């Protein structure tokens, strides 16, 4: 039946307007985030910054030596995310000079610098965060979703299960019923997590521009966007959602005039990578746990997944299908 | 014009059964959407543009969106318990000639997978796939699904397609003032994936008005088969919509032109089942035509509608002349 093609001649008319063609990216094997500071830490003394970079150094070396590369010479790039979303002063040149000098002195080369604000909204106004928000799928209740449930979370929260419940059943009995929280994908016992993705306090530093523009994204949400950006999984019309700009030799005074991602090391390996490692102070552990929860509910564009799989396959680079498996972390000890 | 359906499971497992539903209706608007507006309207996800065709009939296909599932699959009576499945369904909107909207949903079913529900990341990495955690016979799943009896516990892909269609309601160009009354068309399809086997198929129409298509086919032809079902659903809906408008125009107390004018201007130019029919499906369509003669029925219905419009016009002219003579 299927072979019964009436006319075997090749077709003469071809109209294929594929809406989006996914671009193959230049990819490193590993993207390493070399530390993180809150903005007030960057504003203040140099010593804590120097100490953190010194602690990052041996683990960065270890990461370079152990990058999974499928037999190719490992390509590793480093990046640093500047926390300019929740608070910032017009002092980008001073901060950047200090940051790059102290990291260099500690033997940590930063290849790329990105702005956290760009994970919410790009310099050109494009809402980067929406690319993630609209692809988050709430986890279905056990035997409670048969196809009609709206796919997108509108509540601004993302959980991995069912919250605990406490309710008074009958007023007269004055008895309480309590049901424990339940992780849907638990193994024997639950670790229930519910993460706030955004609130409606208004975009920091922004004028009111509608419901989306009014969202103030949470730190874990922006960190999840940042991980997906590094892994090449966030695209706009097939192109990376945040693009890399070469450093033009000068930092703008205002953070929100600086490019989204700046290449500060001209000889760096590609920014985007098959896998990521984040070397962070221990205090970021709950944030990264939340990042994993968000990413576990993120459904990537199948065409993007296919493009990365094809590139990895061609070079025998092992690439896990579960996105969270592409992430790794090292948490630096706290205290001094 | 399907986006490629890649290998569904990176672990190498292939689905044994694929289930789908196509819901068809008139876009809730008085005039068709121009191509440019349609492309904007069907960009259901930011960052991804819809696919589209201009010739021979305009068509825009949205990117796939995904729905979380944890429910039961129907099986025929006596076939044991209903297997529980977990994962995601995919659905897309298809807009043809700026005016006929379809919600097309499907899910690939992996049998003999894991025996318990796994962390969600496992399912998020296998979009459009559900895994059955109980044993099931593929033939039972096909038969059970095509019965079309749904409740709140078994898979309801018709609802998924209807939800995708409803996303278009919020598009600004849509004025919610269609001039033609139509019913929603429903089609269910089920594939028993059989690599290397001779494909065989059956198209069935029962008295509930729902089309059912059953096919055994190799996995490579799935995207083409989905398009076949969307085309069949569209044309079956066209035929029903035109016939219903004609019947309404014969009813006492109706202004016949109030039914016939929008029917002709909305639907008259639409029939072209082979326009986007994949090459591999032409043989199947031809066999269907030989038996059901859908194109003949369409032509004859259009002729009846046009004849009636001509007669009404002649009558109106005669009445006008008569008035002048008097």
């Amino acid at each position: 039946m299927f072979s019964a093609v009436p006319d075997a001649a090749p077709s003469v008319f071809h109209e294929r307007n594929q809406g989006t063609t996914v671009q193959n990216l230049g990819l490193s094997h590993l993207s390493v985030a070399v530390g993180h500071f809150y903005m007030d830490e960057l504003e203040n003394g140099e010593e804590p910054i120097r100490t953190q970079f010194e602690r990052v150094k041996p683990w960065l070396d270890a990461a370079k030596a152990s990058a999974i590369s499928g037999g190719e010479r490992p390509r590793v790039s480093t990046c640093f995310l500047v926390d300019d979303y929740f608070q910032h002063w017009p002092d980008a040149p001073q901060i950047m000079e200090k940051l790059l000098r102290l990291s260099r002195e500690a033997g940590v080369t930063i290849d790329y610098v990105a702005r956290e604000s760009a994970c919410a909204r790009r310099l050109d106004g494009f809402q980067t965060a929406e690319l993630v928000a609209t692809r988050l799928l709430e986890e279905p209740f056990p035997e409670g979703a048969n196809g009609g449930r709206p796919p997108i979370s509108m509540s601004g929260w993302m959980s991995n299960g069912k919250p605990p419940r406490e309710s008074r059943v009958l007023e007269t009995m004055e008895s309480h019923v309590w049901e424990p929280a339940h992780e849907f994908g638990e193994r024997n016992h639950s670790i229930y997590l519910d993460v706030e993705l955004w609130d409606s306090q208004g975009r920091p530093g922004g004028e009111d521009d509608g419901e989306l523009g009014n969202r103030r994204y949470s730190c874990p949400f922006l960190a999840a966007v940042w991980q997906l950006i590094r892994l090449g999984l966030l695209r706009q019309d097939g192109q990376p959602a945040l693009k890399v700009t070469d450093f033009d030799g000068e930092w703008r005074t205002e953070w929100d005039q600086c490019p989204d991602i700046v290449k500060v090391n001209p000889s760096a390996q590609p920014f985007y990578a098959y896998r990521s490692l984040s070397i962070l102070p221990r205090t970021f552990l709950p944030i990264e746990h939340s990042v994993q929860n968000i990413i576990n509910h993120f459904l990537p564009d199948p065409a993007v997944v296919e493009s990365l799989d094809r590139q990895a396959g061609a070079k025998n680079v092992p690439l896990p299908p579960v996105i969270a498996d592409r992430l790794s972390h090292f948490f630096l000890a706290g205290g001094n | 014009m399907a986006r490629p359906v890649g290998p569904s499971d990176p672990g190498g497992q292939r689905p044994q059964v694929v289930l789908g539903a196509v819901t068809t209706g008139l876009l809730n608007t008085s005039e068709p959407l121009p191509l440019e507006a349609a492309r904007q309207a069907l960009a259901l996800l930011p960052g991804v543009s819809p696919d589209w065709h201009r010739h021979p009939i305009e068509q825009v296909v949205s990117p796939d969106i995904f729905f979380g599932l944890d429910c039961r699959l129907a099986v025929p009576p006596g076939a044991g318990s209903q297997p529980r499945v977990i994962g995601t369904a995919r659905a897309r909107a298809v807009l043809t000639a700026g005016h006929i909207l379809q919600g097309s949903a499907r899910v690939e079913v992996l049998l003999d997978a894991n025996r318990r529900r796994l962390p969600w990341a496992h399912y998020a990495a296998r979009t459009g796939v559900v895994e059955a955690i109980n044993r099931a016979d593929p033939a039972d799943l096909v038969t059970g699904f095509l019965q079309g009896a749904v409740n709140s516990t078994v898979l309801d892909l018709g609802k998924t397609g209807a939800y995708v269609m409803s996303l278009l309601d919020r598009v600004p160009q849509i004025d919610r003032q269609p001039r033609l009354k139509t019913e929603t068309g429903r089609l269910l399809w089920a594939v028993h994936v059989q690599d290397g086997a001779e494909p065989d198929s059956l198209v069935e129409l029962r008295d509930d008005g729902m089309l059912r298509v059953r096919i055994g086919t190799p996995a490579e032809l799935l995207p083409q088969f989905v398009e076949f079902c969307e085309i069949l659903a569209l044309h079956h809906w066209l035929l029903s919509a035109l016939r219903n408008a004609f019947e309404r125009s014969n009813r006492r107390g109706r202004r016949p032109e109030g039914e016939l004018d929008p029917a002709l201007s909305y639907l008259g130019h639409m029939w072209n089942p082979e326009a986007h029919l994949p090459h591999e499906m032409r043989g199947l369509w031809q066999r269907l035509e030989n038996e059901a003669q859908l194109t003949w029925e369409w032509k004859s219905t259009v002729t009846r509608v046009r004849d009636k419009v001509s007669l009404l016009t002649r009558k109106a002219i005669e009445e006008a002349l008569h008035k002048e003579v008097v």
Side-chain angles (χ1 to χ4, degrees), chain A residues 92-146:
Chain A
Q94 295 87 322
I95 297 270
M96 286 316 304
E97 182 279 322
K98 184 158 80 174
L99 191 71
L100 293 175
R101 171 169 50 79
L102 294 173
S103 60
R104 197 170 50 240
E105 286 170 8
V108 173
T109 306
I110 294 176
D111 294 333
Y112 300 91
V113 175
R115 292 183 307 113
E116 192 169 2
S117 290
C119 295
R121 187 189 170 99
R122 272 188 337 215
L123 193 55
D124 64 5
F126 178 80
Q127 309 261 9
T128 321
E130 224 192 309
L131 294 177
V132 176
T134 51
R135 287 190 171 275
L136 290 181
L137 187 63
E138 270 186 73
E139 207 164 316
F141 263 65
E143 303 205 40
N146 70 337

Side-chain angles (χ1 to χ4, degrees), chain B residues 156-231:
Chain B
D156 186 355
L157 288 176
K159 201 160 74 176
T160 316
Y163 176 79
V164 173
M165 290 169 78
S166 75
L167 292 176
L168 273 282
D169 279 343
R170 58 186 185 200
V171 172
Q173 288 98 333
I174 289 175
D175 60 19
R176 295 163 189 256
Q177 290 177 331
R179 285 183 285 126
L180 181 66
K181 217 162 82 180
T182 58
E183 284 171 21
T184 302
R186 294 178 301 152
L187 179 148
L188 294 181
W189 57 264
V191 172
H192 187 172
V193 180
Q194 290 165 317
D195 288 333
E198 263 311 290
D200 72 300
S201 69
L202 180 69
V203 179
E204 197 186 353
L205 182 65
R206 294 189 201 159
D207 55 8
D208 59 4
M210 183 148 65
L211 272 173
R212 293 162 168 90
V213 188
R214 171 200 298 261
I215 195 169
T217 182
E220 294 73 43
L221 288 174
L222 267 175
Q224 289 88 336
F225 177 69
V226 173
E227 288 182 67
F228 170 87
C229 289
E230 288 166 355
I231 290 165

Side-chain angles (χ1 to χ4, degrees), chain B residues 73-93:
Chain B
L73 292 184
V75 292
S81 62
Q82 299 173 329
R84 178 181 166 197
V85 292
I86 302 145
T88 56
R90 74 174 68 219
R92 61 183 186 181

Side-chain angles (χ1 to χ4, degrees), chain B residues 226-267:
Chain B
V226 173
E227 288 182 67
F228 170 87
C229 289
E230 288 166 355
I231 290 165
L232 173 59
L234 181 110
H235 288 83
H236 184 254
W237 178 89
L238 274 178
L239 199 47
S240 309
L242 188 63
R243 234 178 14 212
N244 290 344
F246 183 72
E247 281 164 14
R248 285 197 303 271
S249 77
N250 290 329
R251 284 188 203 151
R252 209 180 281 261
R254 298 250 180 172
R255 282 178 61 246
E257 57 272 26
E259 302 288 347
L260 299 179
D261 289 2
L264 268 185
S265 67
Y266 281 12
L267 313 175

